[in-house]
Amino acid sequence: MTSPSALPWSSADPKRLAQVVGVLTDIDDTLTTDGAIPMGVVAALAALRADGLPTIAITGRPMGWSRPIASSTPLAAVALLRDGDDVRIEFADADDVRAANAARLARVAERIVAEVPGATLARDSAGRVTDIAIDHSEFTHLDQAQIDAVVARMREAGMQATVSSIHVNGWFGTHTKLTGARWIVGRVLGRDLDAERDRWLYVGDSTNDEPMFAAFPLSVGVANLFDFADRLQRWPAYVTALDRGRGFVEIAESLLAARAVTG
């Protein structure tokens, strides 16, 4: 299958790949396969880290879900910060802002569940602090009309709303994957992401990754991105031959091979 604009990942210039200084990635259906991070992906993350390439997960998953991922994989961060072997939580919003938003989020969630047939909160909702998520394909199934109805109600309430491969996420504020990436790269690595954006690689798999595909010249979709082909407005620069975690391994292997040749 081909896309209107994305090239095969195998055609990426090794000289350009050798200049990459870090990797930003989605988690669900990008690092994971069937809901788990395969050992091959863990090995790929470890190899990237050992070669001096930090990998940071930019995800819509909540704090409670992300903590064990951050603790047990060779990621530099998962919207969390490492402190030796511990993981400490930091938020972009002040405590009073989060407290005020929490009540608003609860009201919108209640309305969606009451008004959209079949809509249920994602099972990881107990770990969510700054957003709500409606499950559309992780454990339940919503059709496109139901997904659109959820998005509409979130936006009517003044929320940001995006659709991932498994959830509809909604939150108050101007935060996006890009602002989160900019913030966490600065906090974890002390680097200015905007100043070196053409040397960071972003990996994703769904429509909620489109802003990141647009922001990063070196962006890659794993092959299951084609599941959203009829809804994508912005394609990444490249698409892998393999899907999900296997696609991420394909990306890591190319990066490491390019660095080995130039190193």
Side-chain angles (χ1 to χ4, degrees), residues 4-6 27 35 61 66 76-77 85 114 130 134 147 152 156 165 170 202 207 214 217 224 229 238 251 257 260:
S5 58
I27 293 181
R61 286 290 193 171
S66 297
D85 292 331
T130 58
I134 302 298
I147 292 171
E156 286 168 8
S165 61
Y202 181 76
T207 55
N224 44 297
Y238 301 96
I251 292 166

Side-chain angles (χ1 to χ4, degrees), residues 194-246:
D194 289 329
E196 53 185 25
R197 200 182 293 185
D198 60 346
R199 299 184 66 196
W200 281 78
L201 181 147
Y202 181 76
V203 190
D205 76 302
S206 184
T207 55
N208 71 330
D209 295 304
E210 288 182 273
M212 298 295 274
F213 293 156
F216 289 87
L218 194 54
S219 56
V220 191
V222 287
N224 44 297
L225 180 67
F226 287 115
D227 294 344
F228 297 90
D230 60 343
R231 282 164 271 169
L232 278 176
Q233 301 299 312
R234 177 67 187 230
W235 286 81
Y238 301 96
V239 178
T240 61
L242 302 175
D243 66 351
R244 296 175 171 81
R246 297 186 305 161

Side-chain angles (χ1 to χ4, degrees), residues 45-226:
L45 291 170
L48 291 171
R49 185 175 182 177
D51 207 46
L53 278 180
T55 303
I56 297 178
I58 309 297
T59 178
R61 286 290 193 171
M63 176 186 68
W65 188 93
S66 297
R67 182 189 289 270
I69 299 296
S71 300
S72 62
T73 62
L75 289 161
V78 189
L80 304 168
L81 301 180
R82 283 192 179 277
D83 186 4
D85 292 331
D86 296 324
V87 176
R88 65 185 188 275
I89 310 299
E90 294 193 9
F91 296 96
D93 283 335
D95 292 348
D96 58 339
V97 174
R98 295 200 314 277
N101 284 342
R104 300 168 70 195
L105 290 167
R107 289 194 294 271
V108 178
E110 183 178 0
R111 179 191 173 196
I112 290 171
V113 171
E115 295 181 3
V116 180
T120 60
L121 290 172
R123 291 191 187 180
D124 64 11
S125 292
R128 292 186 179 274
V129 177
T130 58
D131 77 330
I132 58 174
I134 302 298
D135 188 346
H136 72 74
S137 67
E138 186 176 24
F139 297 104
T140 62
H141 175 75
L142 300 182
D143 62 25
Q144 192 58 49
Q146 291 167 307
I147 292 171
D148 291 344
V150 171
V151 170
R153 282 161 177 77
M154 288 179 175
R155 291 178 176 166
E156 286 168 8
M159 300 173 72
Q160 302 281 341
T162 62
V163 181
S164 76
S165 61
I166 56 172
H167 295 159
V168 184
N169 294 92
W171 66 97
F172 291 104
T174 58
H175 313 311
T176 65
K177 282 195 169 188
L178 181 57
T179 63
R182 184 183 295 125
W183 176 71
I184 204 71
V185 167
R187 290 292 288 113
V188 174
L189 303 176
R191 305 183 75 133
D192 183 346
L193 182 61
D194 289 329
E196 53 185 25
R197 200 182 293 185
D198 60 346
R199 299 184 66 196
W200 281 78
L201 181 147
Y202 181 76
V203 190
D205 76 302
S206 184
T207 55
N208 71 330
D209 295 304
E210 288 182 273
M212 298 295 274
F213 293 156
F216 289 87
L218 194 54
S219 56
V220 191
V222 287
N224 44 297
L225 180 67
F226 287 115

